């Protein structure tokens, strides 16, 4: 087992604490910013869902349906999904692009799930190190938001939201929050 699989499966167990209340078996899911696809595959297997991976580069280590965002714009897609997941992806893009991405996701789905690390110094340093290790070419602008900043953005965009602050193992470097977003 490699380090990437080990760290990602730990994140999946933490992510599952929030998502098990928001994803149903059989949902059609798009995983925006899927990275290596380990989380994507674990979600597909756990929920028995129809899942599509989506990112700006194909880093997948599994064979999954894949959409390259450099070639296809989310807002132009015709296929409807039940859920869009954005797992530890939004802090890698500028804040103004975060808003556009959420609105684009809501054009192809009814609900968006966000799993993000809270902005702690230790978490930011760990994020930079892990991302440089896993995805050497990944841009890491660290556009983290605090819970109230996320909620302010959702309100500005006229979106309904719910969130869960997820208890982390004491040895784990990240504190996570998960949001359930839908149109008002």
């Amino acid at each position: 087992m490699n380090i990437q699989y080990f760290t990602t499966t730990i994140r999946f167990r933490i992510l599952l604490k929030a998502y098990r209340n928001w994803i149903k078996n059989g949902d059609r899911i798009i995983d925006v910013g899927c990275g290596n696809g380990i989380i994507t595959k674990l979600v597909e297997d756990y929920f028995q869902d129809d899942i599509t991976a989506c990112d700006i580069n194909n880093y997948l280590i599994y064979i999954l349906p894949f959409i390259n965002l450099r070639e296809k714009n989310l807002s132009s897609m015709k296929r409807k999904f039940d859920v869009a997941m954005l797992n530890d992806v939004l802090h890698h893009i500028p804040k103004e692009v975060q808003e556009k991405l959420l609105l684009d996701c809501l054009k192809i789905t009814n609900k968006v799930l966000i799993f993000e690390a809270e902005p702690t110094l230790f978490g930011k340093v760990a994020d930079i190190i892990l991302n440089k290790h896993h995805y050497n070419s990944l841009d890491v602008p660290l556009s983290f938001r605090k819970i109230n900043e996320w909620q302010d953005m959702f309100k500005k965009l006229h979106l309904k939201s719910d969130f869960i602050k997820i208890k982390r193992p004491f040895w784990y470097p990240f504190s996570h929050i998960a949001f359930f977003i839908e149109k008002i």
Side-chain angles (χ1 to χ4, degrees):
M1 177 188 314
N2 69 28
I3 188 74
Q4 191 173 15
Y5 186 82
F6 177 73
T7 59
T8 306
T9 54
I10 291 169
R11 267 185 43 240
F12 173 71
R13 282 188 238 126
I14 295 168
L15 174 142
L16 190 58
K17 290 177 184 177
Y19 283 9
R20 76 172 116 224
N21 295 319
W22 297 333
I23 295 177
K24 297 182 204 111
N25 288 14
D27 276 345
R28 291 166 298 153
I29 299 173
I30 185 165
D31 186 0
V32 181
C34 64
N36 59 26
I38 295 173
I39 293 282
T40 315
K41 183 67 174 148
L42 291 168
V43 168
E44 178 184 56
D45 292 347
Y46 184 87
F47 291 103
Q48 298 299 299
D49 291 323
D50 173 17
I51 197 158
T52 300
C54 177
D55 211 321
I56 59 171
N57 291 311
N58 190 340
Y59 300 108
L60 293 176
I61 61 173
Y62 295 102
I63 297 172
L64 294 163
F66 180 76
I67 297 169
N68 187 317
L69 287 175
R70 291 190 194 277
E71 298 169 4
K72 188 162 189 157
N73 189 328
L74 279 181
S75 63
S76 69
M77 292 177 53
K78 301 233 185 296
R79 181 173 179 200
K80 283 290 206 177
F81 295 90
D82 299 305
V83 178
M85 297 187 308
L86 294 116
N87 303 319
D88 287 319
V89 69
L90 290 173
H91 67 269
H92 293 291
I93 59 177
K95 289 184 177 181
E96 59 276 2
V97 180
Q98 292 173 356
E99 295 179 11
K100 181 183 179 330
L101 182 58
L102 284 177
L103 293 175
D104 284 351
C105 286
L106 285 165
K107 290 178 183 174
I108 61 169
T109 186
N110 298 323
K111 61 184 172 183
V112 175
L113 305 182
I114 299 170
F115 182 78
E116 272 292 332
E118 291 190 271
T120 65
L121 178 60
F122 188 68
K124 289 177 183 180
V125 171
D127 188 68
I128 291 169
I129 293 167
L130 288 170
N131 280 292
K132 289 301 178 187
H133 174 72
H134 295 316
Y135 313 103
N136 193 26
S137 65
L138 183 66
D139 187 23
V140 188
L142 299 180
S143 300
F144 289 99
R145 294 176 187 258
K146 295 178 182 173
I147 291 173
N148 65 318
E149 293 173 305
W150 285 112
Q151 291 173 319
D152 289 346
M153 180 183 68
F154 302 146
K155 187 175 181 179
K156 172 186 164 192
L157 298 175
H158 306 288
L159 302 174
K160 181 180 168 186
S161 69
D162 191 14
F163 79 94
I164 296 173
K165 186 169 168 59
I166 302 160
K167 186 172 169 49
R168 66 176 180 84
F170 75 94
W171 50 268
Y172 189 71
F174 302 102
S175 296
H176 284 283
I177 47 178
F179 291 95
F180 173 97
I181 310 300
E182 59 187 345
K183 297 175 189 172
I184 294 178

